[in-house]
Amino acid sequence: MKAPDPEPADRPRFLDAGEAALVVEFGAAVDPAINDRVLALDAALGADPPLGLAETVPTYRSLMIHYDPLVLSRAALVAAVEGRLAERGAARGAGRLWTIPCCYDPALAEDIAEAASLAGLAVADAAAFHAGALYRVYMYGFAPGFAYLGGLPEALALPRRSSPRAPHPPGAVMIGGGLAAIGTMPMPTGWYVLGRTPERLFAPERDPAFLIESGDTLRFEPVSADTFAGLERRAASGEVVAGRAA
Amino acid sequence: MSASAAGRPILRITGAGGGATLQDRGRYGAMRYGITPAGPMDPLAHATANRVLGNPLGATAVEVGLGGLAVAVEGASLDVALAGGAFRIDCDGRPLPPACALTLRPGMVLSIRAGQTGAWCYLAVGGRIDVPAVLGSTATHTRSRLGGLDGRALAAGDGLAVVEPRARLGEPASLGAPWMDRPPGTIRVVLGPQDDFFAPSEIAAFLDRDWTVTARGDRMACFLDGAPLVHACGHDIVSDGVAAGAIQVPGQGLPIVLMADRQPTGGYPKIATVIGPDLGRLAQGQAGTRLRFRAVTLAEALEARRVEAAALEPDIALEPVVRTDFTSEFLLGRNLIDGVVG
């Protein structure tokens, strides 16, 4: 009995999640190189999906492939995956770079004083550290449009709360467990609310409903509470207020 | 539009005990953005009710939980079909079998109440329930307030417009759908994806032990009670994808089966996954239901899928309901609950 290999192997592991989902596992850790391989395979399958592939879910370290086993056999799916891996190697297209407005005013950043204190920082420094970093969108999960971000500065690496706080506000920009996140709809959370963005990562009535793809890069641009209020009105009317490059 | 506004039926919810939602086949295609598929807890029962009426198998229908539901139609008559657990169905005081179909006429009240067994019952209509699709689906996910009627459970007073309505069935008939008679018994699983987090002796224990469905379950998860399992190498994993029927084992060692309203990713080791055809049967287990898991190969799981798909291919026979047509199980159920056979 041994623990799964924490190092990325050359050949991924193929793990069945029932008869209609296959996990292609590239590693066991939160690691940009592993995530690159996940996203490269995801892109290759998305560009030319085998008949019977239903949808794919990229995560930090694996790609879950949902499929119809009465149309696509497991063996044919594994062969298709291995074929894509052989063609494309570990390369993936560069993601887009987004500038996400974020207000760190304690009136909106409900937990910034608490988080700064736990990290041994002044509130202004906590905001500056957070806004000074570049973040990779590793994956979505937990709730619609809830994005898990890597790249949080060490100075802000706090464990998650031992018990959840009250539901976070919409657009909460959060930290916890050494990661950052952007929340959409209010949910109880073990993370700390460090700021708020007027941008909506998920807006079901907007086209596109989801702005940002796994593998994109984000930076946060500090805005005042007044600017936040104006941007929030524009976002509510369907406008995209985040900036996008590349 | 052939139906005039006056001739278009409204399905009116006249009583709702909580937990009734609109569900189509589910919201697929956006799990990568954190969107829960939702959809029916018992897809086979949902498809059966739609199949009887000639609807697409994944059409929007009303899912009724243990809280029960009462409905009537306004404006025009409407065919309806019911399939699912052994619910107590009653039309204007007349008991009907748990899997049945009839034309509901204005003034009639159809009542759907929990029975001895079964946790979910589907009410399909002849026609299309007119609610907007969100991300391509009408499935209700109450936690994220998506789909159905404003993303919420149905409540007394709600009206559901039905377009392209049909009213041709007439008197109540029972469905010739023997596959709806499914005792919980043994639930088949495919081991993994994280069975390597458990020693072989613990996997054997998982398969040998009796598990009991607890009252804590909902559309998101079925919580099981029994002797806890022990992890060989910790219970924290870096999040990966979560399939329908995934059996997570968190730190305390009691399995949790993830159901229609699961999050599409998650972070506990998954010892096994319930095969698609058995997940609805598991969902129908009320609190206190005892079950065992049996590991099967992918080939066996595929065969079970083929059998299920084949059951829905031919038309479903309709038998007129007369009192002597009640199954002994149905009569027994009414007897135990009501004390008197109606």
Side-chain angles (χ1 to χ4, degrees):
Chain A
M1 199 65 222
K2 74 179 198 50
D5 185 356
E7 298 303 319
D10 276 331
R11 187 176 186 273
R13 299 207 304 165
F14 293 93
L15 307 171
D16 292 299
E19 77 282 13
L22 181 71
V23 180
V24 185
E25 185 184 275
F26 291 93
V30 179
D31 177 320
I34 294 171
N35 191 238
D36 274 347
R37 298 187 69 197
V38 173
L39 296 172
L41 175 62
D42 182 49
L45 284 171
D48 180 22
L51 190 65
L53 185 150
E55 64 181 298
T56 54
V57 184
T59 70
Y60 293 112
R61 42 78 168 236
S62 63
L63 186 70
M64 177 167 270
I65 303 172
H66 296 272
Y67 66 104
D68 180 348
L70 298 184
V71 176
L72 177 63
S73 74
R74 183 197 198 266
L77 176 56
V78 168
V81 167
E82 291 188 322
R84 303 300 191 287
L85 291 173
E87 286 163 22
R88 301 274 297 241
R92 79 172 173 93
R96 296 166 299 180
L97 172 65
W98 296 87
T99 302
I100 306 292
C102 181
C103 179
Y104 297 95
D105 187 312
L108 296 171
E110 296 176 1
D111 303 335
I112 193 168
E114 183 184 1
S117 165
L118 289 169
L121 297 171
V123 167
D125 291 339
F129 271 118
H130 186 264
L134 280 178
Y135 299 86
R136 160 192 285 255
V137 179
Y138 270 112
M139 61 180 277
Y140 283 92
F142 184 61
F146 187 103
Y148 292 93
L149 313 176
L152 185 72
E154 271 298 314
L156 292 172
L158 301 177
R160 289 180 207 175
R161 296 169 184 276
S162 53
S163 59
R165 52 153 276 158
H168 64 70
V173 173
M174 297 177 282
I175 63 171
L179 292 164
I182 304 177
T184 45
M185 50 193 55
M187 294 271 180
T189 182
W191 301 55
Y192 296 88
V193 178
L194 206 70
R196 263 182 86 177
T197 178
E199 186 52 83
R200 297 173 309 158
L201 267 59
F202 171 51
E205 73 291 352
R206 183 185 64 197
D207 186 18
F210 304 94
L211 274 190
I212 292 170
E213 297 294 329
S214 296
D216 285 354
T217 302
L218 308 184
R219 53 179 288 272
F220 292 99
E221 180 175 51
V223 297
S224 70
D226 282 348
T227 303
F228 175 92
L231 291 173
E232 193 177 43
R233 278 191 296 277
R234 286 163 54 191
S237 70
E239 190 179 335
V240 172
V241 298
R244 180 184 146 182
Chain B
M1 284 290 145
S2 57
S4 69
R8 176 176 294 180
I10 302 282
L11 186 73
R12 182 71 64 189
I13 311 300
T14 59
T21 55
L22 291 173
Q23 299 294 342
D24 67 2
R25 63 180 286 272
R27 185 170 288 104
Y28 292 96
M31 279 192 259
R32 62 169 49 242
Y33 300 112
I35 296 290
T36 286
M41 290 291 280
D42 183 349
L44 181 60
H46 179 269
T48 298
N50 274 315
R51 179 73 179 85
V52 171
L53 298 171
N55 294 336
L57 295 186
T60 308
V62 181
E63 179 181 88
V64 183
L66 293 172
L69 194 76
V71 299
V73 284
E74 295 168 3
S77 296
L78 179 67
D79 287 343
V80 297
L82 293 155
F87 276 59
R88 293 184 296 150
I89 314 299
D90 175 309
C91 187
D92 286 344
R94 178 185 178 188
L96 298 177
C100 64
L102 70 154
T103 299
L104 201 58
R105 294 187 299 276
M108 294 163 65
V109 173
L110 183 69
S111 135
I112 305 164
R113 286 175 296 164
Q116 283 273 293
T117 62
W120 305 100
C121 176
Y122 295 88
L123 169 67
V125 304
R128 184 167 53 80
I129 295 175
D130 189 20
V131 288
V134 180
L135 299 173
S137 167
T138 62
T140 308
H141 184 226
T142 54
R143 272 188 181 76
S144 55
R145 295 187 291 278
L146 291 180
L149 280 189
D150 306 321
R152 61 171 172 80
L154 297 173
D158 285 340
L160 303 168
V162 177
V163 295
E164 295 158 32
R166 295 185 298 280
R168 47 173 97 126
L169 288 176
E171 288 302 299
S174 68
L175 308 191
W179 57 86
M180 284 289 85
D181 184 15
R182 299 176 294 172
T186 300
I187 300 293
R188 291 166 290 184
V189 299
V190 172
L191 290 177
Q194 276 94 33
D195 49 325
D196 58 357
F197 273 67
F198 301 87
S201 59
E202 286 303 300
I203 292 174
F206 167 71
L207 298 170
D208 287 343
R209 284 175 190 162
D210 278 342
W211 300 100
T212 304
V213 175
T214 71
R216 199 182 152 195
D218 59 10
R219 279 184 45 88
M220 188 171 180
C222 172
F223 294 81
L224 298 175
D225 200 6
L229 299 171
V230 179
H231 301 79
C233 41
H235 56 82
D236 272 328
I237 61 167
V238 172
S239 285
D240 73 346
V242 174
I247 306 176
Q248 288 191 343
V249 184
Q252 34 79 331
L254 293 177
I256 300 170
V257 189
L258 296 170
M259 310 298 280
D261 280 3
R262 72 193 183 279
Q263 292 160 353
T265 61
Y268 290 113
K270 294 164 278 289
I271 191 170
T273 308
V274 177
I275 69 169
D278 284 4
L279 192 56
R281 202 155 54 83
L282 173 66
Q284 290 288 5
Q286 291 187 7
T289 300
R290 291 165 79 87
L291 58 89
R292 279 193 181 202
F293 293 111
R294 181 164 72 83
V296 298
T297 63
L298 286 182
E300 286 173 84
L302 279 184
E303 185 51 28
R305 280 198 174 231
R306 284 193 198 98
V307 167
E308 190 173 284
L312 291 174
E313 268 170 25
D315 284 344
I316 295 171
L318 291 172
E319 297 288 334
V321 173
V322 291
R323 292 293 160 100
T324 51
D325 272 355
F326 292 162
T327 63
S328 58
E329 186 191 3
F330 177 70
L331 288 172
L332 183 64
R334 292 199 65 78
N335 219 353
L336 288 170
I337 291 161
D338 296 343
V340 176
V341 177

Short mmCIF file of all heavy atoms in Angstrom, two decimals, chain B residues 197-240:
data_model
loop_
_atom_site.label_atom_id
_atom_site.label_comp_id
_atom_site.label_asym_id
_atom_site.label_seq_id
_atom_site.Cartn_x
_atom_site.Cartn_y
_atom_site.Cartn_z
N PHE B 197 -6.40 4.84 -1.92
CA PHE B 197 -6.29 5.49 -0.60
C PHE B 197 -6.76 4.56 0.52
O PHE B 197 -6.78 4.95 1.68
CB PHE B 197 -7.10 6.79 -0.56
CG PHE B 197 -6.33 7.97 -1.05
CD1 PHE B 197 -5.93 8.08 -2.37
CD2 PHE B 197 -5.97 9.00 -0.18
CE1 PHE B 197 -5.22 9.17 -2.83
CE2 PHE B 197 -5.25 10.10 -0.62
CZ PHE B 197 -4.87 10.18 -1.95
N PHE B 198 -7.15 3.33 0.17
CA PHE B 198 -7.67 2.39 1.15
C PHE B 198 -6.95 1.06 1.03
O PHE B 198 -6.70 0.59 -0.09
CB PHE B 198 -9.18 2.18 0.93
CG PHE B 198 -9.96 3.46 1.03
CD1 PHE B 198 -10.13 4.28 -0.08
CD2 PHE B 198 -10.49 3.87 2.25
CE1 PHE B 198 -10.82 5.48 0.01
CE2 PHE B 198 -11.18 5.07 2.35
CZ PHE B 198 -11.35 5.88 1.23
N ALA B 199 -6.62 0.46 2.18
CA ALA B 199 -6.01 -0.87 2.18
C ALA B 199 -7.02 -1.87 1.64
O ALA B 199 -8.24 -1.67 1.77
CB ALA B 199 -5.60 -1.24 3.60
N PRO B 200 -6.53 -2.98 1.03
CA PRO B 200 -7.45 -4.01 0.52
C PRO B 200 -8.46 -4.47 1.56
O PRO B 200 -9.63 -4.73 1.24
CB PRO B 200 -6.51 -5.14 0.10
CG PRO B 200 -5.22 -4.44 -0.23
CD PRO B 200 -5.12 -3.28 0.72
N SER B 201 -8.04 -4.55 2.82
CA SER B 201 -8.96 -5.00 3.87
C SER B 201 -10.11 -4.00 4.05
O SER B 201 -11.24 -4.38 4.36
CB SER B 201 -8.22 -5.19 5.19
OG SER B 201 -7.62 -3.96 5.57
N GLU B 202 -9.83 -2.71 3.87
CA GLU B 202 -10.89 -1.69 4.01
C GLU B 202 -11.83 -1.72 2.81
O GLU B 202 -13.03 -1.47 2.96
CB GLU B 202 -10.27 -0.30 4.18
CG GLU B 202 -9.66 -0.08 5.55
CD GLU B 202 -10.66 -0.29 6.69
OE1 GLU B 202 -11.68 0.42 6.73
OE2 GLU B 202 -10.41 -1.18 7.51
N ILE B 203 -11.29 -1.99 1.63
CA ILE B 203 -12.17 -2.12 0.46
C ILE B 203 -13.08 -3.33 0.64
O ILE B 203 -14.28 -3.26 0.37
CB ILE B 203 -11.33 -2.22 -0.84
CG1 ILE B 203 -10.64 -0.87 -1.07
CG2 ILE B 203 -12.20 -2.60 -2.02
CD1 ILE B 203 -9.67 -0.86 -2.21
N ALA B 204 -12.51 -4.41 1.17
CA ALA B 204 -13.33 -5.60 1.44
C ALA B 204 -14.41 -5.26 2.47
O ALA B 204 -15.57 -5.67 2.33
CB ALA B 204 -12.45 -6.74 1.93
N ALA B 205 -14.04 -4.50 3.49
CA ALA B 205 -15.02 -4.12 4.52
C ALA B 205 -16.13 -3.25 3.91
O ALA B 205 -17.31 -3.43 4.21
CB ALA B 205 -14.31 -3.36 5.65
N PHE B 206 -15.74 -2.33 3.05
CA PHE B 206 -16.72 -1.47 2.36
C PHE B 206 -17.76 -2.33 1.62
O PHE B 206 -18.95 -2.04 1.62
CB PHE B 206 -15.98 -0.55 1.40
CG PHE B 206 -16.84 0.17 0.40
CD1 PHE B 206 -17.69 1.19 0.80
CD2 PHE B 206 -16.80 -0.18 -0.95
CE1 PHE B 206 -18.48 1.85 -0.12
CE2 PHE B 206 -17.59 0.48 -1.87
CZ PHE B 206 -18.43 1.49 -1.46
N LEU B 207 -17.29 -3.41 0.99
CA LEU B 207 -18.18 -4.26 0.20
C LEU B 207 -18.91 -5.29 1.05
O LEU B 207 -19.97 -5.77 0.65
CB LEU B 207 -17.37 -4.97 -0.90
CG LEU B 207 -16.70 -4.04 -1.92
CD1 LEU B 207 -15.74 -4.82 -2.81
CD2 LEU B 207 -17.75 -3.33 -2.78
N ASP B 208 -18.37 -5.63 2.21
CA ASP B 208 -18.99 -6.68 3.04
C ASP B 208 -20.02 -6.12 4.01
O ASP B 208 -20.90 -6.84 4.47
CB ASP B 208 -17.92 -7.40 3.89
CG ASP B 208 -17.07 -8.32 3.01
OD1 ASP B 208 -17.51 -8.64 1.89
OD2 ASP B 208 -15.97 -8.71 3.46
N ARG B 209 -19.86 -4.86 4.39
CA ARG B 209 -20.70 -4.32 5.45
C ARG B 209 -22.08 -3.90 4.95
O ARG B 209 -22.23 -3.54 3.79
CB ARG B 209 -20.02 -3.09 6.07
CG ARG B 209 -18.88 -3.47 6.98
CD ARG B 209 -18.14 -2.26 7.49
NE ARG B 209 -16.92 -2.70 8.15
CZ ARG B 209 -15.86 -1.93 8.42
NH1 ARG B 209 -15.89 -0.65 8.09
NH2 ARG B 209 -14.81 -2.42 9.02
N ASP B 210 -23.03 -3.90 5.87
CA ASP B 210 -24.32 -3.27 5.61
C ASP B 210 -24.20 -1.78 5.86
O ASP B 210 -23.55 -1.35 6.83
CB ASP B 210 -25.38 -3.84 6.58
CG ASP B 210 -25.93 -5.16 6.10
OD1 ASP B 210 -25.76 -5.48 4.91
OD2 ASP B 210 -26.53 -5.87 6.93
N TRP B 211 -24.83 -0.99 5.01
CA TRP B 211 -24.87 0.47 5.20
C TRP B 211 -26.33 0.89 5.30
O TRP B 211 -27.20 0.28 4.67
CB TRP B 211 -24.18 1.18 4.03
CG TRP B 211 -22.74 0.79 3.90
CD1 TRP B 211 -22.20 -0.10 3.03
CD2 TRP B 211 -21.66 1.28 4.71
NE1 TRP B 211 -20.84 -0.21 3.23
CE2 TRP B 211 -20.49 0.62 4.25
CE3 TRP B 211 -21.54 2.18 5.77
CZ2 TRP B 211 -19.23 0.85 4.82
CZ3 TRP B 211 -20.29 2.41 6.33
CH2 TRP B 211 -19.16 1.75 5.85
N THR B 212 -26.57 1.91 6.07
CA THR B 212 -27.94 2.39 6.27
C THR B 212 -28.06 3.83 5.78
O THR B 212 -27.24 4.68 6.15
CB THR B 212 -28.31 2.32 7.76
OG1 THR B 212 -28.11 0.98 8.22
CG2 THR B 212 -29.78 2.70 7.98
N VAL B 213 -29.07 4.08 4.95
CA VAL B 213 -29.33 5.45 4.48
C VAL B 213 -29.82 6.27 5.68
O VAL B 213 -30.72 5.83 6.40
CB VAL B 213 -30.40 5.43 3.37
CG1 VAL B 213 -30.77 6.85 2.95
CG2 VAL B 213 -29.91 4.62 2.17
N THR B 214 -29.21 7.44 5.90
CA THR B 214 -29.62 8.28 7.02
C THR B 214 -30.60 9.36 6.55
O THR B 214 -30.79 9.57 5.35
CB THR B 214 -28.42 9.00 7.67
OG1 THR B 214 -27.96 10.00 6.76
CG2 THR B 214 -27.28 8.02 7.96
N ALA B 215 -31.20 10.03 7.52
CA ALA B 215 -32.19 11.06 7.21
C ALA B 215 -31.54 12.36 6.74
O ALA B 215 -32.23 13.30 6.35
CB ALA B 215 -33.06 11.33 8.44
N ARG B 216 -30.19 12.41 6.78
CA ARG B 216 -29.51 13.66 6.49
C ARG B 216 -29.46 13.98 4.98
O ARG B 216 -29.07 15.07 4.59
CB ARG B 216 -28.07 13.55 7.04
CG ARG B 216 -27.39 14.88 7.23
CD ARG B 216 -25.96 14.65 7.73
NE ARG B 216 -25.12 15.74 7.30
CZ ARG B 216 -23.80 15.73 7.33
NH1 ARG B 216 -23.17 14.65 7.77
NH2 ARG B 216 -23.11 16.76 6.91
N GLY B 217 -29.82 13.01 4.15
CA GLY B 217 -29.62 13.18 2.72
C GLY B 217 -30.51 14.22 2.08
O GLY B 217 -31.55 14.60 2.62
N ASP B 218 -30.09 14.68 0.93
CA ASP B 218 -30.90 15.58 0.12
C ASP B 218 -30.52 15.35 -1.34
O ASP B 218 -29.92 14.33 -1.66
CB ASP B 218 -30.70 17.04 0.56
CG ASP B 218 -29.24 17.48 0.45
OD1 ASP B 218 -28.42 16.74 -0.15
OD2 ASP B 218 -28.92 18.57 0.95
N ARG B 219 -30.85 16.31 -2.21
CA ARG B 219 -30.52 16.12 -3.63
C ARG B 219 -29.02 16.15 -3.89
O ARG B 219 -28.56 15.74 -4.95
CB ARG B 219 -31.22 17.20 -4.47
CG ARG B 219 -32.70 16.88 -4.75
CD ARG B 219 -33.32 17.91 -5.68
NE ARG B 219 -32.45 18.22 -6.78
CZ ARG B 219 -32.43 17.56 -7.94
NH1 ARG B 219 -33.26 16.57 -8.17
NH2 ARG B 219 -31.59 17.90 -8.91
N MET B 220 -28.25 16.65 -2.95
CA MET B 220 -26.80 16.75 -3.16
C MET B 220 -26.09 15.45 -2.82
O MET B 220 -25.13 15.06 -3.50
CB MET B 220 -26.26 17.87 -2.30
CG MET B 220 -24.80 18.22 -2.56
SD MET B 220 -24.41 19.73 -1.64
CE MET B 220 -22.70 19.93 -2.10
N ALA B 221 -26.50 14.80 -1.76
CA ALA B 221 -25.72 13.66 -1.28
C ALA B 221 -26.58 12.73 -0.45
O ALA B 221 -27.55 13.15 0.19
CB ALA B 221 -24.55 14.14 -0.43
N CYS B 222 -26.19 11.44 -0.48
CA CYS B 222 -26.81 10.42 0.35
C CYS B 222 -25.78 10.03 1.41
O CYS B 222 -24.69 9.55 1.07
CB CYS B 222 -27.17 9.23 -0.54
SG CYS B 222 -27.76 7.79 0.35
N PHE B 223 -26.09 10.27 2.68
CA PHE B 223 -25.15 9.99 3.77
C PHE B 223 -25.45 8.61 4.34
O PHE B 223 -26.60 8.32 4.69
CB PHE B 223 -25.30 11.05 4.86
CG PHE B 223 -24.89 12.43 4.43
CD1 PHE B 223 -25.75 13.24 3.70
CD2 PHE B 223 -23.62 12.92 4.74
CE1 PHE B 223 -25.37 14.51 3.29
CE2 PHE B 223 -23.24 14.20 4.35
CZ PHE B 223 -24.11 14.99 3.61
N LEU B 224 -24.44 7.78 4.46
CA LEU B 224 -24.63 6.42 4.93
C LEU B 224 -24.07 6.27 6.34
O LEU B 224 -23.09 6.92 6.72
CB LEU B 224 -23.93 5.44 3.99
CG LEU B 224 -24.47 5.45 2.55
CD1 LEU B 224 -23.65 4.54 1.67
CD2 LEU B 224 -25.94 5.06 2.51
N ASP B 225 -24.71 5.38 7.09
CA ASP B 225 -24.23 5.07 8.44
C ASP B 225 -23.79 3.61 8.48
O ASP B 225 -24.30 2.78 7.73
CB ASP B 225 -25.36 5.33 9.45
CG ASP B 225 -24.81 5.51 10.86
OD1 ASP B 225 -23.56 5.55 11.02
OD2 ASP B 225 -25.62 5.59 11.79
N GLY B 226 -22.86 3.31 9.36
CA GLY B 226 -22.33 1.97 9.49
C GLY B 226 -21.03 2.03 10.26
O GLY B 226 -20.74 3.04 10.92
N ALA B 227 -20.23 0.98 10.17
CA ALA B 227 -18.93 0.99 10.83
C ALA B 227 -17.95 1.78 9.96
O ALA B 227 -17.79 1.48 8.78
CB ALA B 227 -18.44 -0.44 11.03
N PRO B 228 -17.30 2.81 10.53
CA PRO B 228 -16.46 3.70 9.70
C PRO B 228 -15.31 2.98 9.01
O PRO B 228 -14.77 2.00 9.53
CB PRO B 228 -15.93 4.72 10.72
CG PRO B 228 -16.85 4.65 11.88
CD PRO B 228 -17.36 3.25 11.93
N LEU B 229 -14.94 3.49 7.86
CA LEU B 229 -13.79 2.99 7.11
C LEU B 229 -12.55 3.78 7.51
O LEU B 229 -12.65 4.93 7.95
CB LEU B 229 -14.04 3.14 5.60
CG LEU B 229 -15.25 2.38 5.07
CD1 LEU B 229 -15.54 2.79 3.63
CD2 LEU B 229 -15.02 0.87 5.17
N VAL B 230 -11.39 3.16 7.34
CA VAL B 230 -10.12 3.80 7.70
C VAL B 230 -9.32 4.04 6.43
O VAL B 230 -9.20 3.14 5.59
CB VAL B 230 -9.32 2.90 8.67
CG1 VAL B 230 -7.99 3.54 9.02
CG2 VAL B 230 -10.14 2.63 9.93
N HIS B 231 -8.78 5.26 6.29
CA HIS B 231 -7.94 5.57 5.13
C HIS B 231 -6.53 5.06 5.35
O HIS B 231 -6.02 5.10 6.48
CB HIS B 231 -7.86 7.08 4.91
CG HIS B 231 -9.19 7.72 4.68
ND1 HIS B 231 -10.05 8.02 5.71
CD2 HIS B 231 -9.80 8.13 3.55
CE1 HIS B 231 -11.14 8.59 5.20
NE2 HIS B 231 -11.02 8.67 3.90
N ALA B 232 -5.89 4.61 4.29
CA ALA B 232 -4.50 4.16 4.39
C ALA B 232 -3.54 5.34 4.34
O ALA B 232 -2.45 5.28 4.92
CB ALA B 232 -4.20 3.18 3.26
N CYS B 233 -3.88 6.39 3.62
CA CYS B 233 -2.92 7.49 3.46
C CYS B 233 -3.63 8.84 3.45
O CYS B 233 -3.49 9.61 2.51
CB CYS B 233 -2.06 7.29 2.21
SG CYS B 233 -2.95 6.68 0.79
N GLY B 234 -4.38 9.09 4.51
CA GLY B 234 -4.96 10.42 4.68
C GLY B 234 -6.25 10.58 3.90
O GLY B 234 -6.58 9.78 3.03
N HIS B 235 -6.98 11.64 4.24
CA HIS B 235 -8.27 11.84 3.60
C HIS B 235 -8.33 13.17 2.86
O HIS B 235 -9.38 13.58 2.41
CB HIS B 235 -9.40 11.74 4.63
CG HIS B 235 -9.23 12.69 5.80
ND1 HIS B 235 -9.61 13.99 5.73
CD2 HIS B 235 -8.70 12.48 7.02
CE1 HIS B 235 -9.32 14.57 6.89
NE2 HIS B 235 -8.78 13.68 7.68
N ASP B 236 -7.19 13.83 2.73
CA ASP B 236 -7.16 15.06 1.94
C ASP B 236 -6.53 14.76 0.60
O ASP B 236 -5.43 14.22 0.54
CB ASP B 236 -6.32 16.14 2.64
CG ASP B 236 -7.17 16.94 3.60
OD1 ASP B 236 -8.37 17.12 3.32
OD2 ASP B 236 -6.63 17.37 4.63
N ILE B 237 -7.23 15.10 -0.46
CA ILE B 237 -6.60 15.04 -1.78
C ILE B 237 -6.75 16.42 -2.40
O ILE B 237 -7.64 17.18 -2.02
CB ILE B 237 -7.23 13.97 -2.69
CG1 ILE B 237 -8.71 14.25 -2.95
CG2 ILE B 237 -7.04 12.58 -2.10
CD1 ILE B 237 -9.30 13.43 -4.07
N VAL B 238 -5.86 16.73 -3.33
CA VAL B 238 -6.05 17.95 -4.11
C VAL B 238 -7.27 17.73 -5.00
O VAL B 238 -7.39 16.68 -5.64
CB VAL B 238 -4.78 18.24 -4.95
CG1 VAL B 238 -5.04 19.38 -5.92
CG2 VAL B 238 -3.61 18.56 -4.04
N SER B 239 -8.19 18.70 -4.99
CA SER B 239 -9.48 18.53 -5.67
C SER B 239 -9.32 17.97 -7.07
O SER B 239 -8.44 18.37 -7.82
CB SER B 239 -10.18 19.88 -5.78
OG SER B 239 -10.71 20.25 -4.54
N ASP B 240 -10.21 17.05 -7.42
CA ASP B 240 -10.34 16.65 -8.81
C ASP B 240 -11.83 16.50 -9.13
O ASP B 240 -12.67 16.86 -8.32
CB ASP B 240 -9.50 15.42 -9.14
CG ASP B 240 -10.06 14.14 -8.55
OD1 ASP B 240 -10.95 14.22 -7.67
OD2 ASP B 240 -9.61 13.06 -8.98
#
